[in-house]
Structure formats: C-alpha cells, structure tokens
Coordinates of all heavy atoms in Angstrom, one line a residue:
M542 N 21.1 6.5 15.1 CA 21.9 5.9 14.1 C 21.3 4.5 13.8 O 21.0 3.8 14.7 CB 23.4 5.8 14.5 CG 24.3 5.2 13.6 SD 25.0 6.4 12.5 CE 25.8 5.4 11.4
T543 N 21.3 4.1 12.6 CA 20.8 2.8 12.2 C 21.7 2.3 11.1 O 22.4 3.0 10.4 CB 19.4 2.9 11.6 OG1 19.4 3.8 10.5 CG2 18.4 3.4 12.7
F544 N 21.6 1.0 11.0 CA 22.3 0.3 9.9 C 21.3 -0.6 9.2 O 20.9 -1.7 9.6 CB 23.4 -0.7 10.5 CG 24.5 0.0 11.1 CD1 24.5 0.4 12.4 CD2 25.7 0.3 10.4 CE1 25.6 1.0 13.0 CE2 26.7 1.0 11.0 CZ 26.7 1.3 12.3
L545 N 20.8 0.0 8.1 CA 19.6 -0.6 7.4 C 20.1 -1.1 6.0 O 20.9 -0.6 5.4 CB 18.5 0.5 7.1 CG 17.9 1.1 8.3 CD1 16.9 2.1 7.8 CD2 17.3 0.1 9.2
D546 N 19.6 -2.3 5.7 CA 19.8 -2.9 4.4 C 18.5 -2.9 3.6 O 17.7 -3.8 3.9 CB 20.4 -4.3 4.5 CG 20.9 -4.9 3.2 OD1 20.5 -4.4 2.2 OD2 21.6 -5.9 3.3
Q547 N 18.3 -1.9 2.8 CA 17.1 -1.8 2.0 C 16.9 -3.0 1.0 O 15.8 -3.0 0.4 CB 17.0 -0.5 1.3 CG 16.8 0.7 2.3 CD 15.4 0.7 2.9 OE1 14.4 0.2 2.3 NE2 15.3 1.3 4.0
R548 N 17.8 -3.8 0.9 CA 17.6 -5.0 0.0 C 16.8 -6.0 0.7 O 16.3 -6.9 0.0 CB 19.0 -5.6 -0.4 CG 19.9 -4.6 -1.1 CD 21.3 -5.1 -1.4 NE 22.0 -5.2 -0.1 CZ 23.2 -5.6 0.0 NH1 23.9 -6.1 -1.0 NH2 23.8 -5.7 1.2
L549 N 16.6 -5.9 2.0 CA 15.7 -6.8 2.7 C 14.3 -6.3 2.7 O 14.0 -5.2 3.1 CB 16.2 -6.9 4.2 CG 17.6 -7.5 4.4 CD1 18.0 -7.4 5.8 CD2 17.8 -8.8 3.8
Q550 N 13.3 -7.2 2.3 CA 12.0 -6.8 2.2 C 11.4 -6.3 3.5 O 10.6 -5.3 3.5 CB 11.1 -7.9 1.6 CG 9.7 -7.5 1.2 CD 9.8 -6.4 0.1 OE1 10.4 -6.6 -1.0 NE2 9.2 -5.2 0.3
Q551 N 11.7 -6.9 4.6 CA 11.2 -6.5 5.9 C 11.6 -5.0 6.2 O 10.8 -4.3 6.7 CB 11.7 -7.4 7.0 CG 11.2 -6.9 8.4 CD 11.9 -7.7 9.6 OE1 12.8 -8.5 9.4 NE2 11.4 -7.4 10.8
V552 N 12.9 -4.7 5.9 CA 13.3 -3.3 6.1 C 12.5 -2.4 5.2 O 12.1 -1.3 5.7 CB 14.9 -3.2 5.9 CG1 15.3 -1.8 6.0 CG2 15.6 -4.1 6.9
R553 N 12.3 -2.7 4.0 CA 11.5 -1.8 3.1 C 10.1 -1.7 3.6 O 9.6 -0.6 3.6 CB 11.5 -2.4 1.7 CG 12.8 -2.2 0.9 CD 12.6 -2.8 -0.5 NE 13.9 -2.6 -1.2 CZ 14.0 -2.3 -2.5 NH1 12.8 -2.1 -3.2 NH2 15.1 -2.1 -3.1
D554 N 9.5 -2.8 4.0 CA 8.1 -2.8 4.5 C 8.0 -1.8 5.7 O 7.0 -1.1 5.9 CB 7.7 -4.2 4.9 CG 7.4 -5.1 3.7 OD1 7.4 -4.6 2.5 OD2 7.3 -6.3 3.9
E555 N 9.0 -1.9 6.6 CA 8.8 -1.1 7.9 C 9.4 0.3 7.8 O 9.1 1.1 8.7 CB 9.6 -1.8 9.0 CG 8.9 -3.2 9.4 CD 9.4 -3.8 10.6 OE1 9.6 -3.0 11.6 OE2 9.6 -5.0 10.7
T556 N 10.1 0.6 6.8 CA 10.6 2.0 6.6 C 9.9 2.8 5.5 O 10.1 4.1 5.5 CB 12.1 2.0 6.4 OG1 12.4 1.3 5.2 CG2 12.8 1.5 7.6
A557 N 9.2 2.2 4.6 CA 8.5 2.9 3.6 C 7.2 3.6 4.1 O 6.7 3.2 5.2 CB 8.1 2.0 2.5
H558 N 6.7 4.5 3.4 CA 5.5 5.2 3.8 C 4.3 4.3 4.0 O 3.5 4.4 4.9 CB 5.2 6.3 2.8 CG 3.9 7.1 3.1 ND1 2.7 6.7 2.6 CD2 3.8 8.2 3.8 CE1 1.8 7.5 3.0 NE2 2.4 8.5 3.8
D559 N 4.2 3.3 3.1 CA 3.1 2.3 3.1 C 3.6 1.1 2.4 O 4.7 1.0 1.8 CB 1.8 2.9 2.5 CG 2.0 3.4 1.1 OD1 2.6 2.7 0.2 OD2 1.7 4.6 0.9
R560 N 2.8 0.0 2.4 CA 3.1 -1.3 1.9 C 3.3 -1.2 0.3 O 4.2 -1.8 -0.2 CB 2.0 -2.3 2.3 CG 2.4 -3.7 2.3 CD 3.6 -4.1 3.0 NE 3.5 -4.2 4.5 CZ 3.7 -5.4 5.1 NH1 4.0 -6.5 4.4 NH2 3.7 -5.4 6.4
I561 N 2.5 -0.4 -0.3 CA 2.6 -0.3 -1.8 C 3.9 0.4 -2.2 O 4.6 -0.1 -3.1 CB 1.4 0.6 -2.3 CG1 0.1 -0.2 -2.2 CG2 1.6 0.9 -3.8 CD1 -1.2 0.6 -2.4
A562 N 4.3 1.4 -1.5 CA 5.6 2.1 -1.7 C 6.7 1.1 -1.4 O 7.7 1.1 -2.2 CB 5.7 3.3 -0.9
A563 N 6.6 0.3 -0.4 CA 7.6 -0.7 0.0 C 7.8 -1.7 -1.1 O 8.9 -2.2 -1.4 CB 7.3 -1.3 1.3
R564 N 6.7 -2.2 -1.7 CA 6.8 -3.2 -2.7 C 7.0 -2.7 -4.1 O 7.7 -3.4 -4.9 CB 5.5 -4.1 -2.6 CG 5.2 -4.7 -1.2 CD 6.2 -5.7 -0.9 NE 6.1 -6.2 0.5 CZ 5.9 -7.4 0.8 NH1 5.7 -8.4 -0.1 NH2 5.8 -7.7 2.1
L565 N 6.5 -1.6 -4.4 CA 6.6 -1.2 -5.8 C 7.5 0.1 -6.0 O 7.9 0.4 -7.2 CB 5.2 -0.8 -6.3 CG 4.2 -2.0 -6.4 CD1 2.8 -1.5 -6.9 CD2 4.7 -3.1 -7.3
G566 N 7.8 0.8 -4.9 CA 8.5 2.0 -5.1 C 9.9 1.8 -5.7 O 10.3 2.5 -6.6
G567 N 10.7 0.8 -5.2 CA 12.0 0.6 -5.8 C 12.0 0.3 -7.3 O 12.6 0.9 -8.1
P568 N 11.2 -0.7 -7.7 CA 11.1 -1.1 -9.1 C 10.6 0.1 -10.0 O 11.1 0.3 -11.1 CB 10.2 -2.3 -9.2 CG 10.2 -2.9 -7.8 CD 10.5 -1.7 -6.9
L569 N 9.6 0.8 -9.5 CA 9.1 1.9 -10.3 C 10.1 3.0 -10.4 O 10.0 3.8 -11.4 CB 7.8 2.4 -9.6 CG 6.6 1.4 -9.8 CD1 5.4 2.0 -9.1 CD2 6.3 1.1 -11.2
M570 N 11.0 3.2 -9.5 CA 12.0 4.3 -9.5 C 12.9 4.1 -10.6 O 13.5 5.0 -11.1 CB 12.7 4.5 -8.2 CG 11.9 4.9 -7.1 SD 11.1 6.4 -7.4 CE 11.9 7.5 -6.3
G571 N 13.1 2.8 -11.1 CA 14.0 2.5 -12.2 C 13.4 2.9 -13.5 O 14.2 2.9 -14.5
L572 N 12.1 3.0 -13.7 CA 11.5 3.2 -14.9 C 12.0 4.5 -15.6 O 12.3 4.4 -16.8 CB 10.0 3.2 -14.8 CG 9.4 1.8 -14.5 CD1 7.9 1.9 -14.3 CD2 9.8 0.8 -15.5
P573 N 12.1 5.7 -14.9 CA 12.5 6.8 -15.6 C 13.9 6.8 -16.2 O 14.3 7.5 -17.1 CB 12.4 7.9 -14.5 CG 11.4 7.4 -13.6 CD 11.6 5.9 -13.5
A574 N 14.7 5.8 -15.7 CA 16.1 5.7 -16.1 C 16.2 5.4 -17.7 O 17.2 5.6 -18.3 CB 16.9 4.7 -15.3
R575 N 15.1 4.8 -18.1 CA 15.0 4.4 -19.5 C 14.3 5.4 -20.4 O 13.9 5.1 -21.5 CB 14.3 3.1 -19.6 CG 15.1 2.0 -18.9 CD 14.4 0.6 -19.1 NE 14.8 -0.3 -18.0 CZ 14.3 -0.4 -16.8 NH1 13.2 0.2 -16.5 NH2 14.8 -1.3 -15.9
T576 N 14.1 6.6 -19.9 CA 13.3 7.7 -20.6 C 14.1 9.0 -20.6 O 15.2 9.0 -19.9 CB 12.0 7.9 -19.9 OG1 12.2 8.6 -18.7 CG2 11.2 6.6 -19.7
P577 N 13.6 10.0 -21.3 CA 14.3 11.3 -21.3 C 14.4 11.9 -19.8 O 15.2 12.8 -19.6 CB 13.5 12.2 -22.2 CG 12.9 11.2 -23.1 CD 12.6 10.0 -22.3
A578 N 13.6 11.4 -18.9 CA 13.6 11.9 -17.5 C 14.7 11.3 -16.7 O 14.8 11.6 -15.6 CB 12.2 11.5 -16.9
A579 N 15.6 10.6 -17.4 CA 16.7 10.0 -16.6 C 17.6 11.0 -15.9 O 18.2 10.7 -14.9 CB 17.6 9.1 -17.6
G580 N 17.7 12.2 -16.4 CA 18.5 13.2 -15.9 C 17.9 13.8 -14.5 O 18.6 14.5 -13.8
L581 N 16.7 13.6 -14.3 CA 16.1 14.1 -13.0 C 16.7 13.4 -11.8 O 16.9 12.2 -11.8 CB 14.6 13.9 -13.0 CG 13.8 14.6 -14.1 CD1 12.3 14.2 -14.1 CD2 13.9 16.1 -14.0
K582 N 16.9 14.2 -10.8 CA 17.4 13.7 -9.5 C 16.3 13.1 -8.7 O 15.3 13.8 -8.4 CB 18.2 14.8 -8.8 CG 19.4 15.2 -9.6 CD 20.3 16.1 -8.7 CE 21.4 16.6 -9.6 NZ 22.7 16.3 -9.2
C583 N 16.6 11.9 -8.1 CA 15.6 11.3 -7.2 C 16.4 10.5 -6.2 O 16.7 9.4 -6.3 CB 14.7 10.4 -8.0 SG 13.4 9.6 -7.0
P584 N 16.7 11.2 -5.0 CA 17.5 10.6 -4.0 C 16.9 9.3 -3.5 O 17.6 8.4 -3.1 CB 17.5 11.7 -2.9 CG 17.1 13.0 -3.5 CD 16.3 12.6 -4.7
M585 N 15.6 9.1 -3.4 CA 15.0 8.0 -2.8 C 15.2 6.7 -3.7 O 15.4 5.6 -3.2 CB 13.5 8.1 -2.6 CG 13.2 9.0 -1.4 SD 14.0 8.6 0.1 CE 13.3 7.0 0.6
G586 N 15.3 7.0 -5.0 CA 15.6 5.9 -5.9 C 17.0 5.3 -5.6 O 17.2 4.1 -5.7
R587 N 18.0 6.2 -5.4 CA 19.3 5.7 -5.0 C 19.3 4.9 -3.7 O 20.0 3.9 -3.5 CB 20.3 6.8 -5.0 CG 20.6 7.4 -6.4 CD 21.7 8.4 -6.5 NE 21.5 9.5 -5.5 CZ 20.9 10.6 -5.8 NH1 20.4 10.8 -6.9 NH2 20.8 11.6 -4.8
Y588 N 18.6 5.5 -2.8 CA 18.5 4.9 -1.4 C 17.8 3.5 -1.4 O 18.3 2.6 -0.8 CB 17.6 5.9 -0.5 CG 17.3 5.3 0.8 CD1 18.3 5.2 1.8 CD2 16.0 4.9 1.1 CE1 18.0 4.7 3.1 CE2 15.7 4.4 2.4 CZ 16.7 4.3 3.4 OH 16.3 3.8 4.5
M589 N 16.7 3.3 -2.2 CA 16.0 2.1 -2.2 C 16.8 1.0 -2.9 O 16.6 -0.2 -2.7 CB 14.7 2.3 -2.9 CG 13.7 3.1 -2.2 SD 13.2 2.4 -0.6 CE 12.1 1.0 -1.1
N590 N 17.8 1.4 -3.8 CA 18.6 0.4 -4.5 C 20.0 0.4 -4.2 O 20.8 -0.2 -4.9 CB 18.4 0.7 -6.0 CG 17.0 0.5 -6.5 OD1 16.3 -0.5 -6.3 ND2 16.4 1.6 -7.1
Y591 N 20.3 0.9 -3.0 CA 21.7 1.1 -2.6 C 22.3 -0.3 -2.3 O 21.7 -1.1 -1.6 CB 21.8 2.0 -1.4 CG 23.2 2.1 -0.8 CD1 24.2 2.9 -1.4 CD2 23.5 1.3 0.3 CE1 25.5 2.9 -0.9 CE2 24.8 1.4 0.9 CZ 25.7 2.2 0.2 OH 27.0 2.3 0.7
A592 N 23.5 -0.5 -2.7 CA 24.3 -1.7 -2.3 C 25.6 -1.2 -1.8 O 26.3 -0.4 -2.4 CB 24.5 -2.6 -3.5
P593 N 26.0 -1.6 -0.6 CA 27.2 -1.1 0.0 C 28.5 -1.5 -0.8 O 28.5 -2.6 -1.4 CB 27.3 -1.7 1.4 CG 26.4 -2.9 1.3 CD 25.4 -2.6 0.3
S594 N 29.5 -0.7 -0.8 CA 30.8 -1.0 -1.4 C 31.5 -2.2 -0.7 O 32.3 -2.9 -1.3 CB 31.7 0.2 -1.6 OG 32.0 0.7 -0.3
V595 N 31.2 -2.3 0.6 CA 31.8 -3.4 1.4 C 30.6 -4.0 2.2 O 29.9 -3.4 2.9 CB 32.8 -2.9 2.4 CG1 33.3 -4.0 3.3 CG2 33.9 -2.2 1.7
E596 N 30.4 -5.3 1.9 CA 29.3 -6.1 2.6 C 29.7 -6.2 4.1 O 30.9 -6.2 4.4 CB 29.1 -7.4 2.0 CG 28.5 -7.4 0.6 CD 27.1 -6.9 0.6 OE1 26.4 -7.0 1.6 OE2 26.7 -6.4 -0.5
P597 N 28.7 -6.3 5.0 CA 29.0 -6.3 6.4 C 30.0 -7.4 6.8 O 30.9 -7.2 7.6 CB 27.7 -6.6 7.1 CG 26.7 -6.0 6.1 CD 27.3 -6.2 4.7
E598 N 29.9 -8.6 6.2 CA 30.8 -9.7 6.6 C 32.2 -9.4 6.2 O 33.2 -10.1 6.6 CB 30.3 -11.0 6.1 CG 30.0 -11.1 4.6 CD 28.6 -10.6 4.3 OE1 27.8 -10.4 5.2 OE2 28.2 -10.6 3.1
D599 N 32.5 -8.5 5.3 CA 33.8 -8.2 4.8 C 34.4 -6.9 5.5 O 35.5 -6.5 5.3 CB 33.8 -7.9 3.3 CG 33.5 -9.2 2.6 OD1 33.8 -10.2 3.0 OD2 32.8 -9.1 1.5
F600 N 33.6 -6.2 6.3 CA 33.9 -4.9 6.9 C 35.0 -5.2 8.0 O 34.7 -6.0 8.9 CB 32.8 -4.2 7.5 CG 33.1 -2.9 8.2 CD1 33.3 -1.8 7.3 CD2 33.3 -2.8 9.5 CE1 33.6 -0.6 7.9 CE2 33.6 -1.6 10.1 CZ 33.8 -0.5 9.3
D601 N 36.1 -4.5 7.9 CA 37.2 -4.8 8.9 C 38.0 -3.5 9.2 O 39.1 -3.5 9.7 CB 38.2 -5.8 8.5 CG 38.9 -5.5 7.2 OD1 38.7 -4.4 6.6 OD2 39.7 -6.3 6.7
A602 N 37.4 -2.4 9.0 CA 38.1 -1.0 9.1 C 38.2 -0.5 10.6 O 39.2 0.1 10.9 CB 37.4 0.0 8.2
C603 N 37.2 -0.7 11.4 CA 37.1 -0.1 12.7 C 36.0 -0.8 13.5 O 35.1 -1.4 13.0 CB 37.0 1.4 12.7 SG 35.4 1.9 11.9
P604 N 36.0 -0.6 14.9 CA 34.9 -1.1 15.7 C 33.6 -0.3 15.2 O 33.7 0.8 14.8 CB 35.3 -0.7 17.1 CG 36.8 -0.5 17.1 CD 37.1 0.0 15.7
V605 N 32.5 -1.0 15.5 CA 31.2 -0.4 15.1 C 30.4 -0.2 16.4 O 30.3 -1.1 17.2 CB 30.4 -1.4 14.2 CG1 29.0 -0.9 13.9 CG2 31.2 -1.6 12.9
L606 N 29.8 1.0 16.5 CA 29.0 1.4 17.6 C 27.7 1.8 17.1 O 27.6 2.8 16.4 CB 29.7 2.5 18.5 CG 28.8 3.1 19.6 CD1 28.5 2.0 20.7 CD2 29.5 4.2 20.2
L607 N 26.6 1.2 17.6 CA 25.2 1.6 17.3 C 24.7 2.3 18.5 O 24.6 1.7 19.6 CB 24.4 0.5 16.9 CG 22.9 0.7 16.7 CD1 22.6 1.7 15.6 CD2 22.1 -0.5 16.6
T608 N 24.4 3.6 18.4 CA 23.7 4.3 19.5 C 22.2 4.3 19.1 O 21.8 4.9 18.2 CB 24.2 5.7 19.6 OG1 24.1 6.4 18.4 CG2 25.6 5.7 20.1
A609 N 21.5 3.5 19.8 CA 20.1 3.2 19.5 C 19.0 3.8 20.3 O 19.0 3.7 21.5 CB 19.9 1.7 19.4
E610 N 18.2 4.6 19.7 CA 16.9 5.1 20.2 C 16.4 6.0 19.1 O 16.6 7.2 19.2 CB 17.0 5.8 21.6 CG 15.6 6.2 22.1 CD 14.6 5.1 22.0 OE1 14.9 4.0 22.5 OE2 13.5 5.3 21.4
D611 N 16.0 5.4 18.0 CA 15.6 6.1 16.9 C 14.1 5.9 16.7 O 13.7 4.7 16.5 CB 16.4 5.7 15.7 CG 16.1 6.5 14.5 OD1 15.1 7.0 14.3 OD2 17.0 6.5 13.6
R612 N 13.3 6.9 16.7 CA 11.8 6.6 16.6 C 11.4 6.3 15.2 O 10.3 5.7 15.0 CB 11.1 7.9 17.0 CG 11.2 8.2 18.4 CD 10.6 9.5 18.8 NE 11.4 10.2 19.8 CZ 10.9 11.1 20.6 NH1 9.7 11.6 20.4 NH2 11.7 11.7 21.5
W613 N 12.2 6.6 14.2 CA 11.8 6.3 12.8 C 12.2 4.9 12.4 O 11.5 4.3 11.6 CB 12.5 7.3 11.9 CG 12.0 8.6 12.0 CD1 10.9 9.1 12.7 CD2 12.5 9.8 11.4 NE1 10.8 10.4 12.6 CE2 11.8 10.9 11.8 CE3 13.6 10.0 10.5 CZ2 12.0 12.2 11.3 CZ3 13.9 11.3 10.1 CH2 13.1 12.4 10.5
T614 N 13.3 4.4 12.9 CA 13.8 3.0 12.5 C 14.1 2.3 13.7 O 15.1 2.5 14.4 CB 15.1 3.2 11.6 OG1 16.0 4.0 12.2 CG2 14.7 3.7 10.2
P615 N 13.3 1.2 14.0 CA 13.5 0.4 15.2 C 14.8 -0.3 15.2 O 15.3 -0.7 14.1 CB 12.3 -0.5 15.2 CG 11.5 -0.2 14.0 CD 12.2 0.9 13.3
H616 N 15.3 -0.6 16.4 CA 16.6 -1.3 16.5 C 16.6 -2.6 15.8 O 17.6 -3.0 15.2 CB 16.9 -1.4 18.0 CG 18.1 -2.3 18.3 ND1 17.9 -3.6 18.7 CD2 19.4 -2.0 18.3 CE1 19.1 -4.1 18.8 NE2 20.0 -3.2 18.6
H617 N 15.6 -3.4 15.8 CA 15.5 -4.7 15.3 C 15.8 -4.7 13.8 O 16.3 -5.7 13.2 CB 14.2 -5.4 15.6 CG 13.1 -5.0 14.8 ND1 12.2 -4.0 15.4 CD2 12.5 -5.3 13.6 CE1 11.3 -3.7 14.5 NE2 11.4 -4.5 13.4
L618 N 15.7 -3.5 13.1 CA 16.0 -3.5 11.7 C 17.5 -3.4 11.4 O 17.9 -3.6 10.3 CB 15.2 -2.3 11.0 CG 13.7 -2.5 11.0 CD1 13.1 -1.3 10.3 CD2 13.3 -3.8 10.3
S619 N 18.3 -3.0 12.4 CA 19.7 -2.9 12.3 C 20.4 -4.2 12.5 O 21.5 -4.5 12.1 CB 20.3 -1.9 13.2 OG 19.9 -0.6 12.9
V620 N 19.7 -5.1 13.2 CA 20.3 -6.4 13.7 C 20.7 -7.2 12.5 O 21.8 -7.9 12.5 CB 19.3 -7.2 14.6 CG1 19.8 -8.6 14.8 CG2 19.1 -6.4 15.9
P621 N 20.0 -7.3 11.4 CA 20.5 -8.1 10.2 C 21.8 -7.7 9.7 O 22.6 -8.5 9.2 CB 19.4 -8.0 9.2 CG 18.1 -7.7 9.9 CD 18.6 -6.9 11.1
V622 N 22.1 -6.4 9.7 CA 23.4 -5.9 9.3 C 24.5 -6.1 10.3 O 25.5 -6.7 10.1 CB 23.4 -4.4 8.9 CG1 24.7 -3.9 8.6 CG2 22.4 -4.2 7.7
L623 N 24.2 -5.7 11.6 CA 25.1 -5.8 12.6 C 25.5 -7.3 12.9 O 26.7 -7.6 13.2 CB 24.6 -5.2 13.9 CG 24.4 -3.7 13.9 CD1 23.8 -3.2 15.2 CD2 25.7 -2.9 13.6
S624 N 24.6 -8.2 12.8 CA 24.9 -9.6 13.1 C 25.9 -10.2 12.0 O 26.5 -11.2 12.3 CB 23.6 -10.4 13.1 OG 23.0 -10.5 11.9
R625 N 26.0 -9.6 10.8 CA 26.9 -10.0 9.8 C 28.3 -9.5 10.0 O 29.2 -10.0 9.3 CB 26.3 -9.7 8.5 CG 25.0 -10.4 8.1 CD 24.3 -9.9 6.9 NE 25.2 -9.8 5.8 CZ 24.9 -9.0 4.7 NH1 23.8 -8.3 4.7 NH2 25.7 -9.0 3.7
I626 N 28.5 -8.5 10.9 CA 29.8 -8.0 11.0 C 30.6 -8.8 12.1 O 30.2 -8.8 13.2 CB 29.7 -6.5 11.5 CG1 29.0 -5.6 10.5 CG2 31.1 -5.9 11.9 CD1 28.8 -4.2 10.9
T627 N 31.6 -9.5 11.6 CA 32.3 -10.4 12.6 C 33.8 -10.1 12.6 O 34.4 -10.7 13.5 CB 32.1 -11.9 12.1 OG1 32.6 -12.0 10.8 CG2 30.6 -12.2 12.1
K628 N 34.3 -9.3 11.9 CA 35.8 -9.0 11.8 C 36.2 -7.9 12.7 O 37.4 -7.7 12.9 CB 36.2 -8.8 10.4 CG 36.1 -9.9 9.4 CD 36.6 -9.6 8.1 CE 36.5 -10.9 7.2 NZ 37.0 -10.6 5.9
V629 N 35.2 -7.2 13.3 CA 35.5 -6.1 14.2 C 34.6 -6.1 15.3 O 33.4 -6.7 15.2 CB 35.5 -4.7 13.5 CG1 36.6 -4.5 12.4 CG2 34.1 -4.4 13.0
P630 N 34.9 -5.6 16.5 CA 33.9 -5.6 17.6 C 32.7 -4.7 17.2 O 32.8 -3.7 16.6 CB 34.7 -4.9 18.7 CG 36.1 -5.0 18.4 CD 36.2 -5.0 16.9
V631 N 31.5 -5.2 17.7 CA 30.2 -4.4 17.4 C 29.6 -4.3 18.8 O 29.5 -5.2 19.6 CB 29.3 -5.2 16.5 CG1 28.0 -4.6 16.4 CG2 30.0 -5.4 15.2
D632 N 29.2 -3.0 19.1 CA 28.6 -2.7 20.4 C 27.3 -1.9 20.1 O 27.3 -1.1 19.2 CB 29.5 -2.0 21.3 CG 29.0 -2.0 22.8 OD1 28.2 -2.8 23.1 OD2 29.6 -1.2 23.5
T633 N 26.3 -2.1 20.9 CA 25.1 -1.3 20.9 C 24.9 -0.6 22.2 O 24.9 -1.3 23.3 CB 23.9 -2.2 20.5 OG1 24.1 -2.8 19.3 CG2 22.6 -1.4 20.5
V634 N 24.6 0.7 22.2 CA 24.3 1.4 23.4 C 22.9 2.0 23.3 O 22.6 2.7 22.3 CB 25.3 2.5 23.7 CG1 24.9 3.3 24.9 CG2 26.7 2.0 23.9
M635 N 21.9 1.5 24.1 CA 20.6 2.0 24.0 C 20.5 3.3 24.8 O 20.8 3.4 26.0 CB 19.6 1.0 24.6 CG 19.6 -0.3 23.9 SD 19.2 -0.3 22.2 CE 17.5 -0.1 22.2
L636 N 20.1 4.4 24.1 CA 20.0 5.7 24.7 C 18.6 5.9 25.3 O 17.6 5.4 24.8 CB 20.3 6.8 23.6 CG 21.7 6.7 23.0 CD1 21.8 7.8 21.9 CD2 22.8 6.9 24.0
D637 N 18.5 6.8 26.2 CA 17.2 7.1 26.8 C 16.5 8.0 25.8 O 17.1 8.9 25.2 CB 17.4 7.8 28.2 CG 17.9 6.9 29.2 OD1 17.7 5.7 29.1 OD2 18.6 7.4 30.1
S638 N 15.2 7.8 25.7 CA 14.5 8.7 24.8 C 14.0 10.0 25.5 O 14.1 10.2 26.6 CB 13.2 8.0 24.3 OG 12.5 7.4 25.3

C-alpha cells in the first residue's frame, strides 16, 4: 500500500516508466481532451492529474495505517502525504519481503 501524490514531481519522476514520461506524460495526456478523441478512455491520464477530494491535512475520518514493503513504490514516496496527516493517528508497519 502506498500514499502517492502525483502532483509532486519527485513522485512522478520515480514512478513513471522514464524521465520523459514523468515530465511530459501528464501534460500530453490532456491534449486529446480538446479533440474528437476526448471520448477515449485513458486511466493513466486521470491518475497523473488526480487531486484528492480531501487533502491530507484535512483528513480526519479514521486512523491511517501504511503497510510498507512495495517493490514498485518506495516507502519514502509516501512520506510527503503521511507527514501532512495530523488530525488522526498515522502508523507505518514495515513488512518482510
């Protein structure tokens, strides 16, 4: 499990296929929206431009538990989100790989 904020360039850089996709992928995904191709489904375009309905500093619904040992997304990329959650307890449990 991870808590990623794709609005952060470091997160995009480390989770994209390559640096070009990290830097240009998001903006380029918006181009078809202005063309007849707007009806095509592109899940990654929504992912790269996702903004949460509740920002981490406003989250107060329940305690947060990060179970960390994910080979695709390193733990340090979740820290920017988790460090902003202050209204509920946040805990991280590192699992054995």
